[in-house]
């Protein structure tokens, strides 16, 4: 048997407390990732060790809330990986067009940039009015931010370029109004987005959908947990439905590998077999 | 000492450094090498294929959850941090940039130090920032072996100089010197 070092023991005990007290289950997340986030938090907090942090989690709700924020990585972009969105336009949209009503699930939508990107594509392709987008995350703070649809001006240069590279048909600035610091996305873009708190680890299927996007979320989970979440996706998709993963994620090692065909191998777009 | 992995951090000037080093490694080289090279987010990894053609060892991009194996050289994918797990597999993350970099050398080095403890060799090569200094220090604290490229021989000496200033680095060598040392260390392991 390999003996665990003190930090490892402290971390697994801390995760147990977080789960028992708040219901957030990080016990099957990537260990190296969780350790890094917790050690960062420890350094910033001035606490002496993780055991002290554990009593903070037990007695201090404000501290716990900020720790939960630190454990959820909300880094995201509009039209991140333009090649992916190009493939959505070219390969996924034609399939969606065959349905009279479309349901899309963005799992782990973070602060919403992905969902707004999808809304833009759907508007341009004339599908928006018959679509409902479920944008879910377990981070309520991120969801609240997403709902507002207000983003920093600083990012717009990069997003505009991403949008154009992804095959965007309009001038990107048509989709927002801006002031000195921020842009406000057009109201019409969020009309059909339903923002909801959903935890992929502990919550279950909530709708039958035609398309699932879950990008850069599963990389934080261990293999077992990845499989569990893949089952959730499989059960939520209609036959012939589409699953989109992040550019470094794959189905290769999952139990559901055989249940999908590859719609675009490079862009990690899969189609559930009939 | 039986080393189990080598981590290398390299930034500006890295392409030339890797072109010089990798072809010099023999087929029998039996320790996995894991590299963070600072590189722009949307770059295609075509250069990996080009390097591969000239190398005796397989050079590939590290996949998430991939088992780390001997005889391979792994490169962090652009725009993701690369971490090593205790069970000697890789994880990827898109956390904030660290030292303005994603992938960051510190992130790889610190996680690898936790995973391999004193069985790790850390190497800092050419570069013009100080990413990797903290990570190399941690490798040293765990009893691993630390190496920096001699700044006077580096295309950009700032990154190795930063490491050398912050700690007692075990070896300061030219690229050829580093490769020779690594080969010697692994040969000792082969015949033990
Ligand atoms: C790195 S972001 C990815 C955002 C976006 N999909 C992208 O690729 O740009 C990961 C998101 O997954 C969410 N997340 C992590 N674990 C989760 C869970 N168990 N249930 C729901 N969301 C989760 C985090 O809160 C975070 O917003």
């Amino acid at each position: 048997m390999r003996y665990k070092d003190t930090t490892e023991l402290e971390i697994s005990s801390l995760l147990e407390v977080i789960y028992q007290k708040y219901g957030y289950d990080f016990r099957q997340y990537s260990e190296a990732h969780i350790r890094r986030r917790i050690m960062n938090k420890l350094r910033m907090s001035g606490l002496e060790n993780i055991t002290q942090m554990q009593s903070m989690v037990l007695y201090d709700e404000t501290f716990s809330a900020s720790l939960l924020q630190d454990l959820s990585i909300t880094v995201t972009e509009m039209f991140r990986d333009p090649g992916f969105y190009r493939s959505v336009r070219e390969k996924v949209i034609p399939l969606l067009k065959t349905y009279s009503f479309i349901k899309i699930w963005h799992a782990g939508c973070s602060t919403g940039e992905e969902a707004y990107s999808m809304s833009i594509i759907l508007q341009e392709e004339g599908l928006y009015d018959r679509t409902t987008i479920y944008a879910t995350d377990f981070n309520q703070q991120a969801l609240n931010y997403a709902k507002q649809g207000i983003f920093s001006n600083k990012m717009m240069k990069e997003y505009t370029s991403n949008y154009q590279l992804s095959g965007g048909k309009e001038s990107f600035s048509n989709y927002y109004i801006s002031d000195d610091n921020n842009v406000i996305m057009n109201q019409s873009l969020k009309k059909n987005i339903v923002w909801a708190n959903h935890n992929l680890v502990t919550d279950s299927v909530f709708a039958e959908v035609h398309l699932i996007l879950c990008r850069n979320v599963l990389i934080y989970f261990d293999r077992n947990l990845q499989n569990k979440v893949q089952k959730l996706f499989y059960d939520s998709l209609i036959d012939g439905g589409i699953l989109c993963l992040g550019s470094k994620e794959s189905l290769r090692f999952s139990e559901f590998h055989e249940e999908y065909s590859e719609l675009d191998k490079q862009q990690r777009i899969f189609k559930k077999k009939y | 000492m039986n080393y189990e992995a080598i981590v290398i951090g390299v930034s500006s000037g890295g392409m030339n450094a890797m072109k010089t080093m990798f072809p010099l490694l023999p087929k029998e080289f039996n320790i996995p090498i894991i590299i963070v090279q600072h590189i722009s987010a949307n770059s295609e990894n075509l250069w990996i294929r080009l390097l591969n053609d000239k190398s005796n060892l397989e050079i590939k991009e590290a996949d998430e959850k991939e088992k780390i194996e001997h005889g391979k050289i792994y490169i962090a994918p652009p725009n993701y941090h690369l971490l090593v797990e205790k069970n000697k597999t890789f994880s990827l993350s898109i956390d904030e940039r660290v030292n303005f970099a994603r992938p960051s050398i510190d992130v790889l080095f610190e996680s690898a130090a936790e995973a391999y403890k004193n069985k790790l060799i850390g190497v800092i090569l050419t570069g013009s920032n100080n990413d990797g200094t903290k990570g190399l220090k941690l490798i040293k604290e765990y009893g691993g072996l630390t190496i920096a490229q001699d700044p006077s021989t580096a295309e950009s000496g700032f990154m190795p100089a930063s490491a050398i200033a912050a700690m007692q680095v075990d070896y300061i060598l030219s690229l050829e010197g580093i490769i020779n040392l690594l080969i010697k260390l692994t040969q000792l392991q082969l015949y033990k």
Side-chain angles (χ1 to χ4, degrees):
Chain A
M1 150 174 190
R2 185 180 72 83
Y3 290 100
K4 294 193 167 188
D5 64 43
T6 308
T7 312
E8 261 177 293
L9 288 170
E10 285 182 299
I11 291 177
S12 60
S13 152
L14 176 72
L15 297 183
E16 197 60 41
V17 167
I18 293 176
Y19 176 55
Q20 302 280 344
K21 189 163 158 81
Y22 297 99
Y24 291 98
D25 190 354
F26 293 103
R27 295 172 302 173
Q28 292 186 70
Y29 278 50
S30 141
E31 246 183 78
H33 161 70
I34 291 286
R35 177 191 278 246
R36 196 172 97 72
R37 301 304 290 187
I38 288 178
M39 294 316 274
N40 277 350
K41 182 75 181 168
L42 190 62
R43 230 167 285 139
M44 309 285 276
S45 66
L47 296 167
E48 242 152 64
N49 52 45
I50 299 167
T51 301
Q52 277 189 7
M53 189 181 287
Q54 178 166 324
S55 35
M56 292 290 279
V57 167
L58 284 167
Y59 295 110
D60 185 335
E61 297 214 345
T62 319
F63 180 85
S64 305
S66 81
L67 179 60
L68 288 174
Q69 283 300 318
D70 284 342
L71 291 177
S72 133
I73 308 301
T74 55
V75 176
T76 183
E77 279 172 36
M78 285 191 196
F79 294 97
R80 160 189 245 146
D81 308 322
F84 164 73
Y85 284 95
R86 182 176 282 277
S87 183
V88 166
R89 273 188 206 267
E90 288 168 2
K91 301 196 170 130
V92 179
I93 292 290
L95 296 173
L96 295 181
K97 282 192 169 151
T98 62
Y99 302 109
S100 56
F101 188 76
I102 304 159
K103 289 191 217 162
I104 298 177
W105 179 15
H106 280 274
C109 68
S110 185
T111 42
E113 284 84 339
E114 252 184 358
Y116 286 101
S117 307
M118 184 57 82
S119 286
I120 290 172
I121 293 182
L122 292 167
Q123 282 194 353
E124 290 182 6
E125 299 292 336
L127 290 180
Y128 192 66
D129 287 330
R130 48 177 152 125
T131 304
T132 300
I133 297 178
Y134 301 100
T136 69
D137 204 286
F138 75 161
N139 182 335
Q140 190 59 41
Q141 205 167 312
L143 282 174
N144 293 344
Y145 186 92
K147 262 182 236 182
Q148 308 234 321
I150 301 176
F151 300 101
S152 162
N153 235 336
K154 275 189 252 144
M155 300 304 297
M156 282 303 139
K157 207 170 135 224
E158 193 180 336
Y159 294 172
T160 305
S161 137
N162 283 354
Y163 166 76
Q164 283 160 350
L165 287 170
S166 77
K169 298 176 176 167
E170 306 287 327
S171 156
F172 193 55
S173 58
N174 288 351
Y175 292 108
Y176 57 81
I177 51 171
S178 56
D179 63 21
D180 290 344
N181 301 315
N182 294 311
V183 304
I184 305 174
M185 303 308 291
N186 290 353
Q187 289 297 317
S188 72
L189 290 172
K190 52 184 174 186
K191 195 176 63 186
N192 293 347
I193 305 181
V194 179
W195 308 98
N197 196 311
H198 180 278
N199 189 325
L200 291 166
V201 183
T202 45
D203 294 332
S204 46
V205 177
F206 62 90
E208 189 162 67
V209 301
H210 302 82
L211 167 63
I212 295 176
L213 299 97
C214 183
R215 311 191 69 225
N216 301 309
V217 180
L218 297 178
I219 45 174
Y220 297 105
F221 298 177
D222 75 12
R223 270 264 195 315
N224 273 335
L225 189 54
Q226 286 182 347
N227 264 318
K228 187 177 155 194
V229 177
Q230 285 296 353
K231 175 159 182 3
L232 180 64
F233 292 159
Y234 186 78
D235 292 343
S236 302
L237 275 177
I238 61 156
D239 289 345
I242 306 295
L243 174 65
C244 300
L245 301 178
S247 57
K248 299 297 168 196
E249 292 163 334
S250 86
L251 277 175
R252 208 170 355 143
F253 302 103
S254 103
E255 288 161 19
F256 295 88
H257 180 59
E258 298 297 320
E259 313 300 327
Y260 292 86
S261 56
E262 285 169 343
L263 194 61
D264 186 332
K265 188 172 180 208
Q266 209 206 333
Q267 300 300 341
R268 317 289 161 127
I269 303 179
F270 306 90
K271 185 173 177 202
K272 179 173 165 180
K273 290 181 184 166
Y274 285 93
Chain B
M1 173 57 62
N2 262 325
Y3 292 105
E4 287 179 5
I6 299 167
V7 287
I8 298 180
V10 58
S11 184
S12 49
M15 211 53 84
N16 285 333
M18 288 192 284
K19 264 193 244 159
T20 310
M21 289 173 74
F22 293 159
L24 298 174
L25 289 167
K27 198 162 80 259
E28 301 75 32
F29 193 83
N30 64 350
I31 309 184
I33 298 180
I34 310 163
I35 297 172
V36 161
Q37 140 95 331
H38 292 159
I39 182 169
S40 79
N42 285 322
S43 55
E44 300 273 340
N45 269 347
L46 194 69
W47 59 276
I48 291 189
R49 235 181 302 154
L50 295 176
L51 272 182
N52 217 351
D53 290 343
K54 299 212 166 64
S55 161
N56 300 308
L57 300 167
E58 183 189 346
I59 306 179
K60 70 180 295 291
E61 199 174 272
D63 282 327
E64 69 115 13
K65 302 286 183 294
E66 180 172 9
K67 187 113 196 97
I68 299 169
E69 285 174 355
H70 293 231
K72 288 191 182 159
I73 300 178
Y74 299 95
I75 311 227
N79 215 12
Y80 286 83
H81 291 304
L82 178 65
L83 296 90
V84 177
E85 298 284 343
K86 290 250 156 69
N87 64 7
K88 316 294 157 60
T89 61
F90 289 119
S91 283
L92 299 176
S93 162
I94 55 169
D95 290 38
E96 302 81 10
R97 291 162 181 272
V98 174
N99 310 317
F100 308 103
R102 189 174 54 221
S104 142
I105 300 167
D106 277 341
V107 172
L108 170 66
F109 280 22
E110 287 173 4
S111 64
E114 306 280 0
Y116 289 105
K117 309 277 194 251
N118 63 353
K119 302 222 158 62
L120 181 67
I121 301 175
V123 186
I124 296 283
L125 301 178
T126 168
S128 46
N129 54 43
N130 62 7
D131 193 17
T133 294
K134 269 174 67 190
L136 200 68
K137 261 172 105 168
L138 192 67
I139 292 175
K140 177 105 191 172
E141 273 168 38
Y142 273 113
L145 189 78
T146 55
I147 304 173
Q149 183 175 7
D150 179 347
S152 67
T153 69
E155 217 172 294
S156 175
F158 191 88
M159 201 160 81
S162 156
I164 293 164
M167 58 187 290
Q168 192 75 39
V169 172
D170 296 311
Y171 292 92
I172 300 170
L173 297 165
S174 68
L175 286 180
E176 288 76 12
I178 292 172
I179 289 296
N180 286 337
L181 175 64
L182 294 179
I183 292 175
K184 217 164 63 195
L185 288 168
T186 54
Q187 274 173 345
L188 288 178
Q189 279 182 215
L190 264 181
Y191 300 118
K192 219 186 281 195

